Amino acid sequence: MTTISTTKTIFSGFGGQGVLMMGYVLATSGMEEDKHVTYLPSYGAEVRGGTANCTVTVSDEPIASPVASFPDFAVLMNTPSLIKFESGVKSGGIVFLNRDLVDVRPKRRDIHVVSIPVNSIAKRLGNTRGANMVMIGAFVQKTGLVSLKSVIKSVKSIFQKKGTKIHKMNTLALKEGAAFVDGLLGS
Amino acid sequence: MAKQLMCGSHVIAEAATRAGCRFYAGYPITPQNELPEYMSRRFAQIEDATFVQAESELAAINMVMGASMAGVRAMTSSSSPGISLKQEGISYIAGMELPAVVVNIMRGGPGLGNIAPTQQDYFQATKGGGHGGYHTIVFAPHSGQELVTLTMKAFDLADAYRTPIILLGDGLMGQMMEPVIFPDPIDPATLPQKDWALDGARGRDSRLVASLHLDPVEMEEFNWKLARKYDAICERETEHESYLLDDAVVGVVAFGTAARIAKGAVKRLRESGLKAGLFRPITLWPFPAKALRTLTRTIKHLLVFEMNFGQMVEDVKVSVGETATVHFHGRPGGVVSTPHEIAGVITKLMYRYNLAK
Amino acid sequence: MAKQIFKRPEALTEHIFHYCPGCGHSIIHRLIAEVIDELGIREKTVGVPPAGCAVLAYNYLDVDMGEAPHGRAMAVATGIKRARPHLVVFTYQGDGDIAAIGTAESVHAANRGERLTAIFVNNGVYGMTGGQMAPTTLVGQTTTTTPGGRLPLRDGFPLDLSQMLAVAAGSVYIERTSVTSPKHVLKTKKAIKKAFQMQMDDLGFALVEILSQCPTNWKLSPIEACRRVEDEVMKSYPLGVIKDTTQTSN
């Protein structure tokens, strides 16, 4: 659990991994919990060529800057993202790595690492496009920024038009992500 | 109505629609492409609303001019280089006394610059921008919710004063998502009739909308009329926000994104007992000069923080004259300062002038 | 009892034209007014005059008029028409306005098939500014900026905008006429009427290019100026229907 009132998270990966969606889900869930939130995507030429990242701030008070030079958390879905963002993460912060695609370990010793095989888990669930849902499930379970319940609710409303089958698959993926973190804590 | 998480460009587009805007013309340019895209979708749902992707920025502003002549609430949007192109039309719109809302989601400049958030177009927006010595009202929102209120208000003031209005944001304002709440939409049919609009001379004399005044006496009369209108706008429409200024020893003066960051800095300093405050102009033109000068009865040091290398600072200096010392801090390239950085600048200032108690 | 056989069209004001003797603008203004009367559209017509000699067209035409910056008439007209589709909207533009500074607006209004009527007055010079070279100036023609005559590989070739706009899929009717003789004047009126009718029938973009004379800047008498249009200008810009999608080709 975090006790700081303003928390910044960077989500990063390549296009198609649902990186911006993860940020959007977190921001929406924060809003549902009546927290102050901002969501700032990378835009323009920066996103041409396949990389994507966004910054989400969740706070108990009005947010001054939506930019994160030193994020508390970083959710990194591929190796280039780790290379780009590792140095900026606040000392004592947490990086969440997609173990299936990040093939190097962080160099820093002053940050926590949560490494999750989100692609493998998603594949096992028969939902290969759900790796981002596995990750966000794990992320909120670990950080407690918002509740898993809020996330499940937000995801349902975001994908409202996609129907109940998608909703069930998303919920399962979110719960699996959370369960993976629980398993880490238990071990 | 429930809170919605939306990016600034979408917020402006939705607020405009709710304000009764029924004509939009624009041309793609980053970082505001989300705005025309939203408009194209939104207007497709409204029978009497028109979206046109114009062949150029020039065409877009002139289409807005035409729609406004016809009496319809009209808007265009762009980013800095595109706004330069629109200046011809904005000058004519001012000269023809037509209402129009122009959104500038600023980027770095001059030239092509970059697409990062800056405030490099303060001069262009507040000093006319085009030829002929006119003014546009300039709104500088600093949050998603303020984008809603100021966009809607822009349409009302544009109609009331028959003047172009510029909504001045930056890439951060346009791209950032925040929760917002929208008021109920206005039905354009309920808006006051425009007795100057070109809608066909049925049962009345034919009308003319033009900015040509060949006779110097007539031109002079018209320009004095504009001047009186601008005086009235200054008198009635100047807006600003004061934040923790009552006992402050240093007042930060900042607008838009910079003000947002400065607010964070002020808050930090207050937590450690340092008395800083924020003066935030909401209208950049008219500039809240009187309120700022009044402030200097108690605050003798103003720190102007802008995301450029010093533009609004000139208006601040003119406003306060010798009544306070004006300092400046600028970031002109699109680097977004942290509240921490600004707090550091303020703290240094306090120690230098022995104000930290 | 005397029978009235000729009168001022209702769509024409009582203002006396300020145009030079022999100029084509006054004739064309009157033709537009007559057509507006005949179609019964005076109360729903909006005109967009140009920058140039005809900038004061609003003094003469008794319909709602809205000024446009130089070259932007088609964009302004697009805004008016799209905002109030029941209106009949026309632009009145010179060659510099429509085919130089406003080329982009012209091409794209035609390409979008804007339901507009464009009256394009081609006299081959910038008249009001004193007779400089226009995009339509003939090869070899002397103007104040081509003192030795227009040299194509230096000054560009004469631009046939009507042909260009005919290529645009959104244009439905384009005809070139002149006002050098009663016969041509009547043909021009017919063309103008058709171009308005096309808009009223919601078909697409319609344009009439009218070869006009500028005796003052050509430094010719009115009669000589008309003769020049017939003998020289028409050779480069032949009269006739350039495009008419309502006529099936045979």
Side-chain angles (χ1 to χ4, degrees):
Chain A
M1 273 299 286
T2 174
T3 51
I4 25 179
S5 69
T6 299
T7 312
K8 290 180 185 285
T9 309
I10 280 182
F11 295 87
S12 179
F14 52 69
Q17 286 187 302
V19 167
L20 300 183
M21 180 52 74
M22 280 193 280
Y24 185 66
V25 166
L26 175 61
T28 307
S29 308
M31 178 177 76
E32 294 297 335
E33 293 187 2
D34 276 331
K35 292 183 158 72
H36 292 273
V37 295
T38 60
Y39 163 98
L40 184 67
S42 53
Y43 58 88
E46 204 188 334
V47 294
R48 308 288 171 256
T51 65
N53 72 73
C54 64
T55 304
V56 176
T57 308
V58 179
S59 182
D60 299 328
E61 55 186 31
I63 297 161
S65 173
V67 177
S69 311
F70 306 104
D72 301 278
F73 307 123
V75 178
L76 308 171
M77 295 292 274
N78 61 3
T79 305
S81 299
L82 177 64
I83 293 166
K84 185 171 179 186
F85 291 109
E86 182 186 343
S87 62
V89 176
K90 218 175 247 177
S91 187
I94 309 173
V95 294
F96 293 79
L97 300 180
N98 175 3
R99 190 193 293 170
D100 291 317
L101 287 179
V102 179
D103 48 19
V104 292
R105 291 288 295 175
K107 293 184 187 71
R108 285 173 60 182
R109 291 287 163 259
D110 63 334
I111 52 175
H112 304 284
V113 179
V114 178
S115 185
I116 313 156
V118 290
N119 286 44
S120 308
I121 295 173
K123 200 174 168 191
R124 173 164 59 74
L125 299 174
N127 178 13
T128 48
R129 296 187 62 194
N132 62 335
M133 292 295 146
V134 175
M135 182 58 100
I136 194 77
F139 174 82
V140 298
Q141 191 71 359
K142 176 74 181 169
T143 61
L145 264 185
V146 292
S147 73
L148 185 65
K149 205 176 138 199
S150 302
V151 172
I152 291 171
K153 199 179 145 200
S154 309
V155 169
K156 188 182 179 184
S157 73
I158 291 165
F159 292 98
Q160 206 169 12
K161 286 180 190 152
K162 302 261 181 181
T164 50
K165 194 185 163 209
I166 294 290
H167 170 57
K168 278 184 183 155
M169 284 168 73
N170 280 335
T171 306
L172 188 62
L174 290 165
K175 286 182 173 168
E176 281 295 309
F180 184 86
V181 167
D182 289 339
L184 287 180
L185 294 175
S187 65
Chain B
M1 199 178 160
K3 274 190 286 188
Q4 285 175 271
L5 188 67
M6 281 173 94
C7 78
S9 287
H10 288 178
V11 171
I12 296 168
E14 179 59 31
T17 308
R18 282 166 187 262
C21 176
R22 289 295 177 268
F23 186 92
Y24 174 92
Y27 185 88
I29 181 169
T30 309
Q32 61 83 58
N33 297 310
E34 295 76 8
L35 204 163
E37 285 170 356
Y38 188 96
M39 278 308 211
S40 69
R41 290 196 297 273
R42 190 68 170 88
F43 276 12
Q45 305 162 345
I46 303 172
E47 206 193 331
D48 61 346
T50 306
F51 168 87
V52 185
Q53 180 169 331
E55 65 271 26
S56 68
E57 300 283 4
L58 276 171
I61 188 71
N62 282 282
M63 286 176 190
V64 163
M65 185 190 299
S68 180
M69 274 178 194
V72 169
R73 286 190 162 184
M75 177 170 89
T76 184
S77 65
S78 188
S79 178
S80 309
I83 297 294
S84 294
L85 286 165
K86 287 188 202 295
Q87 293 301 340
E88 171 196 74
I90 297 172
S91 168
Y92 275 76
I93 288 169
M96 291 175 183
E97 297 202 88
L98 291 172
V101 175
V102 178
V103 180
N104 180 4
I105 302 297
M106 287 179 283
R107 49 198 261 170
L112 200 51
N114 65 13
I115 55 170
T118 83
Q119 301 177 326
Q120 294 277 102
D121 300 348
Y122 178 92
F123 281 152
Q124 188 194 47
T126 59
K127 311 295 176 193
H131 64 281
Y134 62 92
H135 277 293
T136 54
I137 296 175
V138 183
F139 282 148
H142 84 316
S143 71
Q145 194 57 47
E146 203 174 36
L147 284 173
V148 176
T149 50
L150 291 182
T151 301
M152 295 188 75
K153 190 173 176 180
F155 282 94
D156 289 339
L157 289 196
D159 275 357
Y161 292 100
R162 294 176 58 183
T163 185
I165 296 200
I166 291 179
L167 193 70
L168 194 65
D170 56 34
L172 199 140
M173 277 293 131
Q175 295 289 329
M176 178 179 62
M177 284 191 180
E178 276 191 299
V180 293
I181 298 173
F182 290 102
D184 289 338
I186 291 165
D187 176 3
T190 63
L191 293 168
Q193 290 294 307
K194 293 169 174 172
D195 61 3
W196 45 264
L198 307 183
D199 50 5
R202 181 183 294 267
R204 59 160 171 80
D205 290 344
S206 57
R207 290 172 180 163
L208 169 68
V209 174
S211 64
L212 181 71
H213 305 276
L214 283 174
D215 177 4
V217 174
E218 196 190 301
M219 184 81 244
E220 188 175 74
E221 266 172 30
F222 175 79
N223 276 334
W224 281 124
K225 183 184 161 207
L226 272 190
R228 286 192 297 275
K229 173 160 91 177
Y230 294 149
D231 285 346
I233 292 172
C234 290
E235 193 62 43
R236 290 183 221 139
E237 308 301 343
T238 309
E239 261 192 84
H240 73 278
E241 182 197 351
S242 297
Y243 179 70
L244 302 178
L245 282 168
D246 287 348
D247 61 343
V249 290
V250 170
V252 183
V253 186
F255 68 93
T257 295
R260 202 185 158 100
I261 292 158
K263 231 181 214 178
V266 165
K267 195 143 182 265
R268 262 166 191 260
L269 294 173
R270 287 280 173 170
E271 280 161 11
S272 49
L274 293 171
K275 290 176 180 170
L278 171 70
F279 183 91
R280 179 173 73 90
I282 296 170
T283 52
L284 299 182
W285 194 91
F287 190 75
K290 269 188 207 161
L292 194 56
R293 194 178 171 92
T294 307
L295 193 69
T296 60
R297 284 185 198 149
T298 53
I299 301 177
K300 297 299 170 192
H301 288 273
L302 297 176
L303 172 70
V304 180
F305 166 45
E306 296 180 74
M307 290 153 76
N308 57 46
F309 53 82
Q311 298 187 24
M312 181 178 69
V313 65
E314 293 187 4
D315 287 333
V316 172
K317 282 181 177 167
V318 168
S319 304
V320 304
E322 301 295 315
T323 60
T325 310
V326 177
H327 311 269
F328 177 75
H329 179 71
R331 291 307 293 257
V335 175
V336 180
S337 300
T338 58
H340 178 77
E341 171 192 328
I342 304 308
V345 175
I346 301 167
T347 310
K348 254 190 213 161
L349 195 71
M350 285 180 168
Y351 281 101
R352 196 164 109 213
Y353 290 91
N354 210 15
L355 300 166
K357 279 176 243 163
Chain C
M1 206 176 112
K3 190 176 154 200
Q4 186 175 25
I5 56 164
F6 190 75
K7 63 174 179 122
R8 182 176 52 78
E10 256 187 67
L12 208 60
T13 66
E14 287 178 38
H15 275 92
I16 294 166
F17 288 123
H18 72 286
Y19 300 111
C20 308
C23 170
H25 277 312
S26 5
I27 302 168
I28 298 164
H29 282 18
R30 182 178 173 100
L31 293 180
I32 292 170
E34 286 180 2
V35 165
I36 289 171
D37 275 15
E38 286 169 24
L39 292 171
I41 54 172
R42 197 189 71 81
E43 294 185 335
K44 61 172 183 175
T45 295
V46 178
V48 183
C53 291
V55 70
L56 294 174
Y58 50 70
N59 283 341
Y60 313 118
L61 293 169
D62 195 10
V63 295
D64 279 4
M65 297 283 271
E67 174 190 277
H70 193 26
R72 316 286 170 242
M74 299 255 193
V76 173
T78 296
I80 297 170
K81 181 71 181 184
R82 296 280 194 115
R84 302 272 187 229
H86 68 279
L87 296 175
V88 178
V89 183
F90 74 93
T91 68
Y92 189 105
Q93 301 176 263
D95 35 54
D97 196 86
I98 204 169
I101 197 166
T103 313
E105 284 79 0
S106 309
V107 169
H108 288 276
N111 194 49
R112 287 190 305 266
E114 294 295 341
R115 270 60 118 205
L116 298 174
T117 303
I119 308 297
F120 164 20
V121 181
N122 178 0
N123 62 14
V125 286
Y126 283 84
M128 195 179 70
T129 49
Q132 295 81 7
M133 181 186 74
T136 48
T137 298
L138 301 186
V139 171
Q141 186 180 336
T142 300
T143 69
T144 60
T145 50
T146 53
R150 182 175 197 170
L151 199 58
L153 290 179
R154 182 190 63 198
D155 309 316
F157 289 86
L159 191 73
D160 191 335
L161 185 84
S162 292
Q163 288 286 356
M164 279 173 68
L165 299 191
V167 173
S171 62
V172 290
Y173 171 63
I174 295 175
E175 180 165 357
R176 185 181 290 126
T177 65
S178 83
V179 285
T180 50
S181 71
K183 185 185 83 180
H184 285 308
V185 168
L186 289 175
K187 269 195 158 175
T188 298
K189 179 173 170 184
K190 219 177 124 198
I192 292 173
K193 194 166 182 177
K194 185 161 180 174
F196 272 94
Q197 192 62 54
M198 292 285 209
Q199 178 184 169
M200 291 162 70
D201 293 345
D202 204 31
L203 295 178
F205 180 86
L207 176 144
V208 183
E209 175 184 346
I210 303 160
L211 300 183
S212 187
Q213 51 279 4
C214 182
T216 302
N217 284 303
W218 293 357
K219 300 183 173 48
L220 297 173
S221 74
I223 302 282
E224 288 167 338
C226 288
R227 201 168 292 144
R228 178 177 178 269
V229 172
E230 293 184 353
D231 294 348
E232 293 176 40
V233 183
M234 284 182 195
K235 283 203 182 95
S236 287
Y237 298 102
L239 303 189
V241 175
I242 293 168
K243 184 177 188 179
D244 184 353
T245 57
T246 62
Q247 301 294 309
T248 42
S249 53
N250 36 18

